């Protein structure tokens, strides 16, 4: 099945710093989503982005489907950005549910 | 408000007991999913259902069972055969075409087996 790798696994930032999270996948995809899991465990949808670029406030995402990666940008980070960021994909080749990466754990310190 | 409701949020059970976790959605979504998350880990798929009265095993289905008698409901039973049932369980549903639509999650159920 499709493999999803996220990097870095852990990231510590000072409040106000910018960061880039990466998601690599091993096959062509027709679905890619980014989620933020907050400290209480809730999974929040950030972007539905199988291709192209989207922006929502301080967050933006780009998926380059032909090169099999997606990037999540966080600018001017805040302590409330802390948590785990997951990338999930579905391969074009199989009608299977979303496969999740292991996540990037982000800690933003004041 | 439209959404996915999971209950209970916290559950404690003795070893050897079956437990049923509820998942209800009012989003009119066809496809529903159960994921398991262990501390510090990613999400692993237990079961999914793309239509009423049909469901498929995910990657870690052993020791679990599901039913899908109504579009809105997809309960998960953690049986006594599940060797390590203590985990965070997340229910989700997808809008639009199955697997290519946008996935939405409930708030999760934390199961602790003593």
């Amino acid at each position: 099945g499709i493999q999803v790798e996220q990097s870095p696994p852990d990231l510590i930032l000072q409040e106000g710093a910018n960061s880039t999270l990466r998601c690599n996948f091993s096959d062509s995809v027709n679905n890619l989503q980014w989620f933020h899991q907050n400290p209480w465990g809730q999974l929040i949808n950030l972007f539905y982005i199988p291709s192209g670029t989207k922006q929502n406030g301080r967050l933006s995402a780009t998926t380059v489907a032909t090169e099999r990666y997606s990037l999540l940008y966080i600018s001017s980070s805040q302590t409330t950005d802390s948590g785990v960021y997951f990338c999930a994909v579905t391969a074009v080749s199989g009608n299977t549910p979303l496969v999740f990466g292991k996540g990037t754990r982000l800690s933003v310190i004041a | 408000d439209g959404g996915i409701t999971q209950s209970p949020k916290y559950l404690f059970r003795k070893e050897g007991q079956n437990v049923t976790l509820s998942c209800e959605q009012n989003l009119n979504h066809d496809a529903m999913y159960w994921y398991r998350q262990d501390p510090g880990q990613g999400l692993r798929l237990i079961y999914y259902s793309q239509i009423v009265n049909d469901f498929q095993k995910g990657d870690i289905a052993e020791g679990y069972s599901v039913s899908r008698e109504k579009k809105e409901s997809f309960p998960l039973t953690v049986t006594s055969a599940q060797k390590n049932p203590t985990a965070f369980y997340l229910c989700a549903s997808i809008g639009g075409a199955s697997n290519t639509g946008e996935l939405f999650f409930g708030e999760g159920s934390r199961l602790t087996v003593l």
Side-chain angles (χ1 to χ4, degrees), chain A residues 34-46 80-86 100 105, chain B residues 1-6 9-10 37 43 88-92 103-110:
Chain A
W34 283 97
F35 297 90
H36 174 218
Q37 188 170 39
N38 65 23
W40 297 272
Q42 188 174 4
L43 277 152
I44 298 160
N45 292 37
L46 295 178
T80 51
D81 295 331
S82 296
V84 183
Y85 289 81
F86 289 104
F100 282 75
R105 182 172 298 276
Chain B
D1 283 357
I4 302 169
T5 302
Q6 290 188 239
K9 285 190 170 38
Y10 298 92
Q37 187 178 33
L43 279 69
F88 187 45
Y89 292 89
L90 287 150
C91 179
L103 190 71
F104 294 91
F105 282 92
E107 293 187 344
S109 293
R110 290 192 188 276

Side-chain angles (χ1 to χ4, degrees), chain A residues 91-105:
Chain A
V92 171
S93 59
N95 185 25
T96 56
L98 283 158
V99 174
F100 282 75
K102 292 186 189 295
T104 291
R105 182 172 298 276

Side-chain angles (χ1 to χ4, degrees), chain A residues 56-101:
Chain A
N56 184 4
R58 296 181 297 103
L59 273 59
S60 64
T62 295
T63 296
V64 184
T66 53
E67 297 188 21
R68 299 185 183 171
Y69 72 89
S70 182
L71 301 174
L72 177 68
Y73 305 97
I74 304 174
S75 63
S76 303
S77 58
Q78 301 174 357
T79 55
T80 51
D81 295 331
S82 296
V84 183
Y85 289 81
F86 289 104
C87 169
V89 304
T90 297
V92 171
S93 59
N95 185 25
T96 56
L98 283 158
V99 174
F100 282 75

Side-chain angles (χ1 to χ4, degrees), chain A residues 21-32:
Chain A
L21 281 57
R22 187 175 180 103
C23 173
N24 291 337
F25 40 93
S26 60
D27 201 351
S28 299
V29 299
N30 55 11
N31 190 348
L32 189 146

